[in-house]
Amino acid sequence: MKEPLVPVIPMSHTAHIRSHRKPRRSATSSIALRAGVAGGVLSMAAAGASASASAAEPVTQTIELPTLTADLSAQVAQSAAATQQAAANYELRAERDAAAAKAATEAKKDLAEAKKKAEAKKKAAEAARKAAAERANRSTERATLSASASTSTSVSAPASGSVATVIAFLKAQVGDAYVMGATGPNAWDCSSLVQAAYKQVGVDLPRVSQDQSMAGTDVPLSSVQVGDILYWGGKGSAYHVGVYIGNGQYLDAANPSKGVVIQDLSGYPASGAVRVL
C-alpha cells in the first residue's frame, strides 16, 4: 500500500524569518482608532472649552466689578449731593429764621421808640400849653401891677402897699429863665429882676448888683423885712442879689439851671441887706 502523498508547498527562503512589519490593522480597527482619536480630541476640546469657561469666569467678574463700583460711586455721589442740598436748605432756613427774628426785634424796638417819642411829644405839648397859660397869667398880673404902679402918687415916698406890689411882681416871674444880661420879660439875671420889681413902684435902682448893694439903708440880717434887698459878697462888690419875701425865704433869678425861684435863706445865707422902701 502506497503511503498517501503529502502536498508540498513551496516556501520562501525567508518564511522562517519573523516579519518586522507591523500587522496591518483592519479597517474597523482604523475607524475605531480614528473615532477614539476624534473623541479624545473632542473631549480635550470640550475640556479646554470648559477650562476656558472656568478660567473666563473671574474675568467676567473682574469686568463686572467696575460696573458695580461705578454704580456704587454714583449712589454715594447722589447721596452726598442730597446731604449737601439738605444742609444748604437747613442753613438757608436758619438764615431766614434769624432774619425774621431780627426783623421782629427791630420792629419791636422801633415801636417802643415811636411810643417813647409820642409820649415825649405829648408831654412837651402839655408843658408848652401849661407854660403858655402861666405866661398869660403873668402877663395879666404884670398889666395889673403896672396899672397899680402908675397910680402911685410919689416916687420918693411910695404909697402903702408898694412892698406887696414888688412881691407880687417877683412871684409872677417864678419859672422864668436865667440868662446873663437879660432884662425880661421872660428871662432875667439877678439884678435886672430886682431892678424891674422895684420899678413897678417907681423906685429906680442901678442896673448891676454891686451898685444895688449900695442903695438905700443898710439893715442887719437879723432885722430884715419883706421887700428888703439881700446881697451876697462885699458891700459895693456884691456878685448876687435877691429880695426877702418873708418866712425865711427869698426870691431871685438864681442861675441857668434853676431860673427864677423861691429859696430858703438858711440854705444860702446872705452877706447883707439894704432897704429901699
Side-chain angles (χ1 to χ4, degrees):
M1 182 174 184
K2 292 181 180 180
E3 294 179 3
L5 295 175
V6 177
V8 177
I9 300 171
M11 296 180 64
S12 171
H13 66 277
T14 61
H16 66 283
I17 299 175
R18 183 176 295 181
S19 177
H20 293 283
R21 290 183 180 180
K22 293 180 180 180
R24 181 174 296 179
R25 296 175 181 175
S26 63
T28 301
S29 299
S30 178
I31 292 171
L33 179 60
R34 292 176 181 175
V37 171
V41 171
L42 291 176
S43 297
M44 292 177 63
S50 177
S52 297
S54 299
E57 287 181 1
V59 175
T60 303
Q61 293 177 357
T62 304
I63 293 172
E64 291 177 356
L65 185 59
T67 303
L68 294 175
T69 303
D71 292 340
L72 182 59
S73 298
Q75 292 177 1
V76 171
Q78 185 177 3
S79 178
T83 302
Q84 185 175 5
Q85 183 63 38
N89 293 337
Y90 178 80
E91 183 177 359
L92 179 61
R93 184 164 59 252
E95 290 178 355
R96 289 176 179 174
D97 291 343
K102 183 178 180 181
T105 302
E106 291 295 331
K108 186 176 181 181
K109 182 179 179 181
D110 292 342
L111 180 60
E113 188 67 22
K115 288 182 178 179
K116 185 177 180 180
K117 288 182 179 179
E119 185 177 355
K121 186 176 180 180
K122 182 178 179 181
K123 289 182 178 180
E126 181 65 20
R129 185 192 64 77
K130 189 174 181 180
E134 290 177 354
R135 284 196 296 270
N137 291 336
R138 286 198 297 268
S139 296
T140 301
E141 291 175 356
R142 289 169 185 169
T144 302
L145 291 172
S146 296
S148 298
S150 64
T151 60
S152 298
T153 58
S154 175
V155 171
S156 58
S160 177
S162 296
V163 173
T165 299
V166 170
I167 301 303
F169 176 85
L170 290 171
K171 288 183 176 181
Q173 315 312 311
V174 172
D176 282 356
Y178 175 97
V179 177
M180 178 65 72
T183 57
N186 298 315
W188 314 86
D189 62 18
C190 63
S191 56
S192 69
L193 179 61
V194 172
Q195 184 186 48
Y198 283 92
K199 190 174 183 180
Q200 301 301 312
V201 293
V203 176
D204 291 325
L205 292 175
R207 169 65 181 84
V208 297
S209 58
Q210 293 90 338
D211 295 334
Q212 289 177 3
S213 66
M214 299 292 293
T217 304
D218 290 338
V219 178
L221 290 175
S222 59
S223 302
V224 292
Q225 298 178 1
V226 175
D228 288 347
I229 298 174
L230 303 174
Y231 63 86
W232 286 260
K235 187 175 180 64
S237 60
Y239 58 84
H240 186 67
V241 291
V243 177
Y244 185 71
I245 61 173
N247 298 321
Q249 295 181 318
Y250 66 96
L251 189 152
D252 66 336
N255 52 52
S257 63
K258 291 183 177 180
V260 178
V261 292
I262 294 174
Q263 304 188 80
D264 290 330
L265 189 59
S266 60
Y268 188 35
S271 303
V274 294
R275 184 172 296 160
V276 295
L277 290 177

